[in-house]
């Protein structure tokens, strides 16, 4: 039985995670920590799961490192700078052979992880690739982190294959009409009430288009990934890991 504690337990994601852990026969929910609750509630946990907010997550990380508790992080905001900060916290704590494992997962949706992998695999076979991401109107950042990551993976695959920029005869345009440019791959953001979280990768070549589309329709879509992370984190090397790919056998 893996003993699990959830940070942000009363939030939108945290409450669904608590339910998923309660429903899993091999997991035991031993701590539900909300804002202002003492972190000592996590003392009996094998694994903590953080769905709080960017301003809170590093303090939670420090506690887990100090107490040797493995930590799965879903909270967003882990760009390169923040990952380096997390790495320093782990290195200055109990990291090493006996230190805890910390797994940062930018996207727990298995479908989204596969979409990125498929796009990366397909990228070298097509002259052009563009990404369209579509989200609800309350989203603060554009493009989404997943779209930027997808574009970067496509750009790296294209570069490795020796592909240059795709054909584009545009000479006049309204500002932004061709979208953001992430590593040479254009990314278009749509914001509409009624949408949840969706993404299309369009790959074009002579006479054909390959479209890879993923739709997240409910927070339930994240739970198989969260549970895979909770079950699998104990198999990782101590220290910092990023992404679900390794645990899904995709690395
Ligand atoms: N990685 C993924 O796949 C994924 C998916 C969905 C959401 N997220 C991210 O997860 C985070 C949470 O999202 P949400 O929609 O549940 O937000 P939310 O605001 O509904 O929930 C966050 C909860 O954390 C609590 N909290 C804040 N500080 C805390 C602290 N120090 N200790 C304990 N609890 C604390 C808040 O009171 C709130 O209840 C966000 O950063 C979001 O972007 C990631």
């Amino acid at each position: 039985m893996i003993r699990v504690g959830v940070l942000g337990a009363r939030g939108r994601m945290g409450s669904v995670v608590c339910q998923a852990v309660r429903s899993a026969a091999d997991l035991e929910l031993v701590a539900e920590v909300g804002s202002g609750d003492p972190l000592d509630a996590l003392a009996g946990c094998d694994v903590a799961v953080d769905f709080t907010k960017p301003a809170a997550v590093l303090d939670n990380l420090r506690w887990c490192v100090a107490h040797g508790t493995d930590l799965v992080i879903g909270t967003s905001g882990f760009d390169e700078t923040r990952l380096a900060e997390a790495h320093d916290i782990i290195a200055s704590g109990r990291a090493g052979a006996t230190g805890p494992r910390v797994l940062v997962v930018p996207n727990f949706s298995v479908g989204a992880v596969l979409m990125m992998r498929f796009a990366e695999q397909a990228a070298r076979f097509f002259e052009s690739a563009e990404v369209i991401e579509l989200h609800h109107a309350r989203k603060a950042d554009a493009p989404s982190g997943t779209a930027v990551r997808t574009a970067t993976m496509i750009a790296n695959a294209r570069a490795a294959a020796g592909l240059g920029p795709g054909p584009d005869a545009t000479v006049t345009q309204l500002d932004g009409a061709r979208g953001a440019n992430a590593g040479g791959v254009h990314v278009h953001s749509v914001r509409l009430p009624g949408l949840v979280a969706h993404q299309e990768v369009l790959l074009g070549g002579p006479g054909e288009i390959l479209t890879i589309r993923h739709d997240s329709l409910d927070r339930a879509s994240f739970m198989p990934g969260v549970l895979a992370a909770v079950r699998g984190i104990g198999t990782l090397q101590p220290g910092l890991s990023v992404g679900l790919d390794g645990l899904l056998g995709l690395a």
Side-chain angles (χ1 to χ4, degrees):
M1 193 72 98
I2 301 173
R3 291 165 300 169
V4 182
V6 176
L7 290 146
R10 296 188 283 275
R12 284 168 293 204
M13 282 296 289
S15 54
V16 183
V17 172
C18 287
Q19 194 51 49
V21 172
R22 274 192 213 99
S23 304
D26 59 330
L27 307 178
E28 184 185 0
L29 184 64
V30 296
E32 298 176 54
V33 180
S35 188
D37 294 344
L39 293 177
D40 288 345
L42 296 172
C45 294
D46 301 309
V47 181
V49 181
D50 190 300
F51 278 102
T52 58
K53 54 183 186 180
V57 63
L58 291 186
D59 284 340
N60 297 338
L61 171 63
R62 282 187 194 92
W63 190 96
C64 287
V65 169
H67 292 81
T69 305
D70 288 346
L71 176 62
V72 174
I73 297 178
T75 301
S76 55
F78 277 82
D79 56 13
E80 291 304 320
T81 307
R82 178 150 280 218
L83 282 174
E85 220 175 329
H87 190 271
D88 288 348
I89 291 169
I90 296 165
S92 65
R94 296 173 39 146
T98 59
R101 302 155 185 93
V102 177
L103 176 61
V104 174
V105 181
N107 196 325
F108 280 102
S109 156
V110 173
V113 173
L114 288 171
M115 168 188 63
M116 288 187 257
R117 283 283 169 172
F118 295 158
E120 179 184 49
Q121 284 178 341
R124 70 188 165 96
F125 297 103
F126 292 86
E127 277 178 59
S128 291
E130 303 211 2
V131 178
I132 306 172
E133 56 95 339
L134 311 92
H135 281 84
H136 56 84
R138 299 178 314 282
K139 187 168 178 59
D141 53 319
S144 72
T146 297
V148 173
R149 176 80 189 126
T150 308
T152 304
M153 289 168 72
I154 292 170
N156 290 343
R158 287 176 61 85
L163 292 175
D168 182 352
T170 307
V171 284
T172 62
Q173 59 173 309
L174 282 179
D175 275 356
R178 295 287 293 117
N181 185 325
V185 176
H186 291 261
V187 182
H188 310 269
S189 298
V190 178
R191 296 290 175 266
L192 282 179
L195 291 169
V196 184
H198 319 262
Q199 182 167 299
E200 282 186 12
V201 180
L202 303 176
L203 299 124
E208 65 174 340
I209 301 283
L210 172 63
T211 303
I212 304 169
R213 178 170 175 120
H214 178 257
D215 298 276
S216 275
L217 304 174
D218 190 280
R219 290 190 184 86
S221 67
F222 299 118
M223 292 309 118
V226 172
L227 296 185
V230 168
R231 291 180 175 124
I233 191 169
T235 66
L236 301 176
Q237 291 295 316
L240 185 64
S241 304
V242 180
L244 270 189
D245 301 52
L247 292 180
L248 298 178
L250 298 170

